[in-house]
Amino acid sequence: MERHVMDTNKERNALYPGSFDGLTYGHIDIIRRASLLFDRLVVGVAHNPQKKPCFSVIERMTMIEKAIGDLPNVSIRDFDGLTVNFARKIGAKFIVRGLRAISDFEFEIQLALLNRQMDRQIETVFLATSTEYIFLSSSAVKDVILHNGNASDLVPDYVEKALREKLLKKKGEMPCA
Ligand code: ADP
């Protein structure tokens, strides 16, 4: 019987890129699940100067480290510029993205196809959200906090506290998005 032998010398490395501007349990869930699928996973924190983030890159990286520092095959890096260029630089053949509702699909498929156009060697892998996080996004959490709601089921307590400090400093004004 013919057997298909996997090339065990090849590491399967992946990049999970994003803004992570207010790390949520949805992000953490994707990181934990992706870490089981790949040999090494790099969480890539994008500088995204065109957005108006609440947290500096260092603050965002520290928040992620606090949540998933126990995972031995996961590391956290920041990056600027095209995601595929960064993936290539770190030797990642896979880009991981999370999919929530259908509304994510159109944007994410465009991004995946564009990335494939730029580098055919890099494959985008989508992980479906866990049902409890389907409506969860960093911007939804910001809204909840801005209106004095309880976000303890949505983000770790230190993220909630930090967001409260940033967002409620100037009442009525959105200092970041
Ligand atoms: P970006 O600015 O690149 O969209 P985000 O930090 O908002 O960065 O999200 C990073 C990735 O995490 C995206 O692929 C996004 O779809 C995914 N994601 C965000 N929230 C969730 C969630 N609740 N469940 C699953 N995936 C999620």
mmCIF file of all heavy atoms in Angstrom, residues 64-96:
data_model
loop_
_atom_site.group_PDB
_atom_site.id
_atom_site.type_symbol
_atom_site.label_atom_id
_atom_site.label_comp_id
_atom_site.label_asym_id
_atom_site.label_seq_id
_atom_site.Cartn_x
_atom_site.Cartn_y
_atom_site.Cartn_z
ATOM 1 N N ILE A 64 -0.988 41.236 24.754
ATOM 2 C CA ILE A 64 -1.056 39.889 24.149
ATOM 3 C C ILE A 64 -0.154 38.938 24.942
ATOM 4 O O ILE A 64 -0.549 37.818 25.285
ATOM 5 C CB ILE A 64 -0.644 39.934 22.657
ATOM 6 C CG1 ILE A 64 -1.576 40.859 21.873
ATOM 7 C CG2 ILE A 64 -0.664 38.534 22.052
ATOM 8 C CD1 ILE A 64 -1.113 41.173 20.458
ATOM 9 N N GLU A 65 1.048 39.421 25.279
ATOM 10 C CA GLU A 65 2.010 38.606 26.034
ATOM 11 C C GLU A 65 1.388 38.124 27.353
ATOM 12 O O GLU A 65 1.539 36.966 27.747
ATOM 13 C CB GLU A 65 3.276 39.440 26.285
ATOM 14 C CG GLU A 65 4.313 38.793 27.188
ATOM 15 C CD GLU A 65 4.933 37.535 26.590
ATOM 16 O OE1 GLU A 65 5.110 37.495 25.365
ATOM 17 O OE2 GLU A 65 5.220 36.607 27.374
ATOM 18 N N LYS A 66 0.678 39.025 28.019
ATOM 19 C CA LYS A 66 0.050 38.696 29.299
ATOM 20 C C LYS A 66 -0.987 37.576 29.143
ATOM 21 O O LYS A 66 -1.146 36.731 30.018
ATOM 22 C CB LYS A 66 -0.681 39.944 29.820
ATOM 23 C CG LYS A 66 -0.214 40.393 31.187
ATOM 24 C CD LYS A 66 -0.905 41.675 31.545
ATOM 25 C CE LYS A 66 -0.865 41.894 33.029
ATOM 26 N NZ LYS A 66 -1.324 43.231 33.399
ATOM 27 N N ALA A 67 -1.673 37.576 28.008
ATOM 28 C CA ALA A 67 -2.756 36.605 27.803
ATOM 29 C C ALA A 67 -2.265 35.246 27.334
ATOM 30 O O ALA A 67 -2.830 34.215 27.703
ATOM 31 C CB ALA A 67 -3.764 37.159 26.791
ATOM 32 N N ILE A 68 -1.210 35.237 26.507
ATOM 33 C CA ILE A 68 -0.831 33.952 25.882
ATOM 34 C C ILE A 68 0.648 33.599 26.115
ATOM 35 O O ILE A 68 1.182 32.736 25.412
ATOM 36 C CB ILE A 68 -1.186 33.910 24.366
ATOM 37 C CG1 ILE A 68 -0.582 35.118 23.601
ATOM 38 C CG2 ILE A 68 -2.694 33.907 24.148
ATOM 39 C CD1 ILE A 68 0.785 34.906 23.146
ATOM 40 N N GLY A 69 1.258 34.258 27.079
ATOM 41 C CA GLY A 69 2.673 34.014 27.381
ATOM 42 C C GLY A 69 2.974 32.575 27.733
ATOM 43 O O GLY A 69 4.122 32.131 27.666
ATOM 44 N N ASP A 70 1.949 31.808 28.097
ATOM 45 C CA ASP A 70 2.141 30.403 28.475
ATOM 46 C C ASP A 70 2.299 29.483 27.261
ATOM 47 O O ASP A 70 2.673 28.322 27.418
ATOM 48 C CB ASP A 70 0.947 29.930 29.323
ATOM 49 C CG ASP A 70 -0.371 30.036 28.565
ATOM 50 O OD1 ASP A 70 -0.617 31.102 27.942
ATOM 51 O OD2 ASP A 70 -1.152 29.064 28.575
ATOM 52 N N LEU A 71 2.030 29.983 26.061
ATOM 53 C CA LEU A 71 2.102 29.109 24.882
ATOM 54 C C LEU A 71 3.527 29.105 24.325
ATOM 55 O O LEU A 71 4.004 30.126 23.828
ATOM 56 C CB LEU A 71 1.122 29.584 23.795
ATOM 57 C CG LEU A 71 -0.356 29.604 24.199
ATOM 58 C CD1 LEU A 71 -1.215 30.185 23.077
ATOM 59 C CD2 LEU A 71 -0.833 28.196 24.553
ATOM 60 N N PRO A 72 4.210 27.966 24.399
ATOM 61 C CA PRO A 72 5.641 27.944 24.059
ATOM 62 C C PRO A 72 5.946 28.200 22.587
ATOM 63 O O PRO A 72 7.044 28.636 22.253
ATOM 64 C CB PRO A 72 6.083 26.530 24.470
ATOM 65 C CG PRO A 72 4.839 25.720 24.522
ATOM 66 C CD PRO A 72 3.718 26.658 24.847
ATOM 67 N N ASN A 73 5.005 27.916 21.689
ATOM 68 C CA ASN A 73 5.317 28.072 20.256
ATOM 69 C C ASN A 73 4.764 29.374 19.665
ATOM 70 O O ASN A 73 4.693 29.532 18.458
ATOM 71 C CB ASN A 73 4.807 26.867 19.452
ATOM 72 C CG ASN A 73 3.293 26.734 19.516
ATOM 73 O OD1 ASN A 73 2.659 27.241 20.445
ATOM 74 N ND2 ASN A 73 2.704 26.073 18.537
ATOM 75 N N VAL A 74 4.358 30.295 20.547
ATOM 76 C CA VAL A 74 3.809 31.565 20.059
ATOM 77 C C VAL A 74 4.728 32.712 20.449
ATOM 78 O O VAL A 74 5.170 32.808 21.593
ATOM 79 C CB VAL A 74 2.392 31.817 20.636
ATOM 80 C CG1 VAL A 74 1.834 33.145 20.148
ATOM 81 C CG2 VAL A 74 1.450 30.678 20.250
ATOM 82 N N SER A 75 5.027 33.578 19.480
ATOM 83 C CA SER A 75 5.785 34.787 19.802
ATOM 84 C C SER A 75 5.046 36.003 19.241
ATOM 85 O O SER A 75 4.152 35.865 18.399
ATOM 86 C CB SER A 75 7.208 34.708 19.255
ATOM 87 O OG SER A 75 7.176 34.401 17.886
ATOM 88 N N ILE A 76 5.432 37.171 19.721
ATOM 89 C CA ILE A 76 4.725 38.393 19.347
ATOM 90 C C ILE A 76 5.725 39.361 18.724
ATOM 91 O O ILE A 76 6.785 39.620 19.300
ATOM 92 C CB ILE A 76 4.059 39.026 20.592
ATOM 93 C CG1 ILE A 76 3.156 38.010 21.269
ATOM 94 C CG2 ILE A 76 3.266 40.273 20.216
ATOM 95 C CD1 ILE A 76 3.015 38.223 22.758
ATOM 96 N N ARG A 77 5.385 39.862 17.532
ATOM 97 C CA ARG A 77 6.282 40.806 16.852
ATOM 98 C C ARG A 77 5.446 41.961 16.329
ATOM 99 O O ARG A 77 4.255 41.811 16.071
ATOM 100 C CB ARG A 77 6.949 40.115 15.641
ATOM 101 C CG ARG A 77 7.761 38.884 15.945
ATOM 102 C CD ARG A 77 9.223 39.182 16.163
ATOM 103 N NE ARG A 77 9.848 39.867 15.026
ATOM 104 C CZ ARG A 77 10.504 39.260 14.049
ATOM 105 N NH1 ARG A 77 10.610 37.940 14.040
ATOM 106 N NH2 ARG A 77 11.072 39.946 13.068
ATOM 107 N N ASP A 78 6.061 43.109 16.145
ATOM 108 C CA ASP A 78 5.357 44.202 15.482
ATOM 109 C C ASP A 78 5.840 44.283 14.045
ATOM 110 O O ASP A 78 6.926 43.781 13.722
ATOM 111 C CB ASP A 78 5.596 45.528 16.217
ATOM 112 C CG ASP A 78 7.040 45.966 16.163
ATOM 113 O OD1 ASP A 78 7.911 45.110 16.431
ATOM 114 O OD2 ASP A 78 7.302 47.132 15.836
ATOM 115 N N PHE A 79 5.006 44.871 13.183
ATOM 116 C CA PHE A 79 5.444 45.030 11.800
ATOM 117 C C PHE A 79 4.776 46.217 11.132
ATOM 118 O O PHE A 79 3.719 46.672 11.536
ATOM 119 C CB PHE A 79 5.211 43.744 10.989
ATOM 120 C CG PHE A 79 3.764 43.497 10.609
ATOM 121 C CD1 PHE A 79 3.311 43.793 9.326
ATOM 122 C CD2 PHE A 79 2.861 42.974 11.517
ATOM 123 C CE1 PHE A 79 1.987 43.558 8.961
ATOM 124 C CE2 PHE A 79 1.537 42.740 11.166
ATOM 125 C CZ PHE A 79 1.100 43.029 9.886
ATOM 126 N N ASP A 80 5.461 46.663 10.097
ATOM 127 C CA ASP A 80 5.034 47.796 9.295
ATOM 128 C C ASP A 80 4.922 47.321 7.859
ATOM 129 O O ASP A 80 5.638 46.422 7.468
ATOM 130 C CB ASP A 80 6.166 48.844 9.354
ATOM 131 C CG ASP A 80 5.662 50.164 9.870
ATOM 132 O OD1 ASP A 80 4.459 50.432 9.709
ATOM 133 O OD2 ASP A 80 6.478 50.919 10.426
ATOM 134 N N GLY A 81 4.072 47.908 7.093
ATOM 135 C CA GLY A 81 4.056 47.575 5.664
ATOM 136 C C GLY A 81 3.230 46.350 5.349
ATOM 137 O O GLY A 81 2.383 45.931 6.149
ATOM 138 N N LEU A 82 3.507 45.756 4.198
ATOM 139 C CA LEU A 82 2.673 44.658 3.701
ATOM 140 C C LEU A 82 2.816 43.392 4.551
ATOM 141 O O LEU A 82 3.930 42.986 4.890
ATOM 142 C CB LEU A 82 3.057 44.320 2.258
ATOM 143 C CG LEU A 82 2.667 45.349 1.189
ATOM 144 C CD1 LEU A 82 3.197 44.911 -0.177
ATOM 145 C CD2 LEU A 82 1.147 45.509 1.133
ATOM 146 N N THR A 83 1.673 42.784 4.829
ATOM 147 C CA THR A 83 1.660 41.559 5.640
ATOM 148 C C THR A 83 2.461 40.440 4.968
ATOM 149 O O THR A 83 3.205 39.728 5.633
ATOM 150 C CB THR A 83 0.201 41.098 5.867
ATOM 151 O OG1 THR A 83 -0.508 42.186 6.447
ATOM 152 C CG2 THR A 83 0.122 39.916 6.789
ATOM 153 N N VAL A 84 2.305 40.283 3.645
ATOM 154 C CA VAL A 84 3.042 39.193 2.963
ATOM 155 C C VAL A 84 4.557 39.389 3.063
ATOM 156 O O VAL A 84 5.298 38.411 3.180
ATOM 157 C CB VAL A 84 2.663 39.015 1.463
ATOM 158 C CG1 VAL A 84 1.381 38.248 1.301
ATOM 159 C CG2 VAL A 84 2.654 40.309 0.721
ATOM 160 N N ASN A 85 4.998 40.637 3.030
ATOM 161 C CA ASN A 85 6.441 40.884 3.151
ATOM 162 C C ASN A 85 6.942 40.460 4.524
ATOM 163 O O ASN A 85 8.007 39.856 4.657
ATOM 164 C CB ASN A 85 6.765 42.369 2.932
ATOM 165 C CG ASN A 85 6.620 42.754 1.474
ATOM 166 O OD1 ASN A 85 6.486 41.880 0.616
ATOM 167 N ND2 ASN A 85 6.625 44.045 1.199
ATOM 168 N N PHE A 86 6.134 40.773 5.541
ATOM 169 C CA PHE A 86 6.534 40.389 6.895
ATOM 170 C C PHE A 86 6.485 38.864 7.047
ATOM 171 O O PHE A 86 7.384 38.256 7.642
ATOM 172 C CB PHE A 86 5.638 41.082 7.931
ATOM 173 C CG PHE A 86 6.027 40.769 9.348
ATOM 174 C CD1 PHE A 86 7.295 41.059 9.810
ATOM 175 C CD2 PHE A 86 5.123 40.163 10.222
ATOM 176 C CE1 PHE A 86 7.676 40.757 11.115
ATOM 177 C CE2 PHE A 86 5.486 39.859 11.525
ATOM 178 C CZ PHE A 86 6.764 40.154 11.970
ATOM 179 N N ALA A 87 5.462 38.238 6.466
ATOM 180 C CA ALA A 87 5.341 36.768 6.536
ATOM 181 C C ALA A 87 6.591 36.126 5.918
ATOM 182 O O ALA A 87 7.189 35.209 6.493
ATOM 183 C CB ALA A 87 4.078 36.303 5.817
ATOM 184 N N ARG A 88 6.968 36.630 4.760
ATOM 185 C CA ARG A 88 8.154 36.099 4.069
ATOM 186 C C ARG A 88 9.396 36.277 4.940
ATOM 187 O O ARG A 88 10.193 35.356 5.103
ATOM 188 C CB ARG A 88 8.340 36.834 2.742
ATOM 189 C CG ARG A 88 8.893 35.966 1.643
ATOM 190 C CD ARG A 88 9.079 36.739 0.358
ATOM 191 N NE ARG A 88 7.847 37.124 -0.308
ATOM 192 C CZ ARG A 88 7.517 38.381 -0.631
ATOM 193 N NH1 ARG A 88 8.294 39.389 -0.343
ATOM 194 N NH2 ARG A 88 6.385 38.626 -1.251
ATOM 195 N N LYS A 89 9.506 37.471 5.536
ATOM 196 C CA LYS A 89 10.692 37.798 6.350
ATOM 197 C C LYS A 89 10.858 36.834 7.531
ATOM 198 O O LYS A 89 11.966 36.443 7.876
ATOM 199 C CB LYS A 89 10.522 39.234 6.863
ATOM 200 C CG LYS A 89 11.700 39.802 7.598
ATOM 201 C CD LYS A 89 11.479 41.285 7.894
ATOM 202 C CE LYS A 89 12.208 41.671 9.161
ATOM 203 N NZ LYS A 89 11.838 43.003 9.621
ATOM 204 N N ILE A 90 9.734 36.429 8.118
ATOM 205 C CA ILE A 90 9.832 35.551 9.293
ATOM 206 C C ILE A 90 9.697 34.070 8.922
ATOM 207 O O ILE A 90 9.629 33.206 9.795
ATOM 208 C CB ILE A 90 8.793 35.925 10.375
ATOM 209 C CG1 ILE A 90 7.370 35.796 9.832
ATOM 210 C CG2 ILE A 90 9.051 37.311 10.938
ATOM 211 C CD1 ILE A 90 6.294 35.941 10.890
ATOM 212 N N GLY A 91 9.588 33.795 7.630
ATOM 213 C CA GLY A 91 9.509 32.398 7.188
ATOM 214 C C GLY A 91 8.163 31.747 7.449
ATOM 215 O O GLY A 91 8.088 30.536 7.658
ATOM 216 N N ALA A 92 7.105 32.552 7.436
ATOM 217 C CA ALA A 92 5.753 31.989 7.638
ATOM 218 C C ALA A 92 5.106 31.718 6.284
ATOM 219 O O ALA A 92 5.023 32.615 5.443
ATOM 220 C CB ALA A 92 4.890 32.960 8.446
ATOM 221 N N LYS A 93 4.635 30.488 6.104
ATOM 222 C CA LYS A 93 3.998 30.116 4.845
ATOM 223 C C LYS A 93 2.470 30.266 4.935
ATOM 224 O O LYS A 93 1.758 30.081 3.965
ATOM 225 C CB LYS A 93 4.328 28.659 4.501
ATOM 226 C CG LYS A 93 5.742 28.457 3.996
ATOM 227 C CD LYS A 93 5.776 28.539 2.478
ATOM 228 C CE LYS A 93 7.088 28.074 1.894
ATOM 229 N NZ LYS A 93 8.095 29.106 1.851
ATOM 230 N N PHE A 94 1.991 30.552 6.153
ATOM 231 C CA PHE A 94 0.545 30.677 6.344
ATOM 232 C C PHE A 94 0.211 31.989 7.047
ATOM 233 O O PHE A 94 0.933 32.405 7.958
ATOM 234 C CB PHE A 94 0.012 29.518 7.206
ATOM 235 C CG PHE A 94 0.270 28.168 6.602
ATOM 236 C CD1 PHE A 94 1.436 27.474 6.915
ATOM 237 C CD2 PHE A 94 -0.626 27.606 5.705
ATOM 238 C CE1 PHE A 94 1.702 26.241 6.347
ATOM 239 C CE2 PHE A 94 -0.370 26.371 5.132
ATOM 240 C CZ PHE A 94 0.796 25.679 5.458
ATOM 241 N N ILE A 95 -0.893 32.584 6.607
ATOM 242 C CA ILE A 95 -1.434 33.756 7.303
ATOM 243 C C ILE A 95 -2.766 33.309 7.894
ATOM 244 O O ILE A 95 -3.616 32.760 7.180
ATOM 245 C CB ILE A 95 -1.654 34.933 6.331
ATOM 246 C CG1 ILE A 95 -0.312 35.477 5.834
ATOM 247 C CG2 ILE A 95 -2.465 36.047 6.996
ATOM 248 C CD1 ILE A 95 -0.434 36.573 4.773
ATOM 249 N N VAL A 96 -2.931 33.509 9.187
ATOM 250 C CA VAL A 96 -4.172 33.110 9.860
ATOM 251 C C VAL A 96 -5.054 34.341 10.023
ATOM 252 O O VAL A 96 -4.588 35.398 10.436
ATOM 253 C CB VAL A 96 -3.864 32.529 11.262
ATOM 254 C CG1 VAL A 96 -5.147 32.243 12.018
ATOM 255 C CG2 VAL A 96 -3.022 31.273 11.146
#
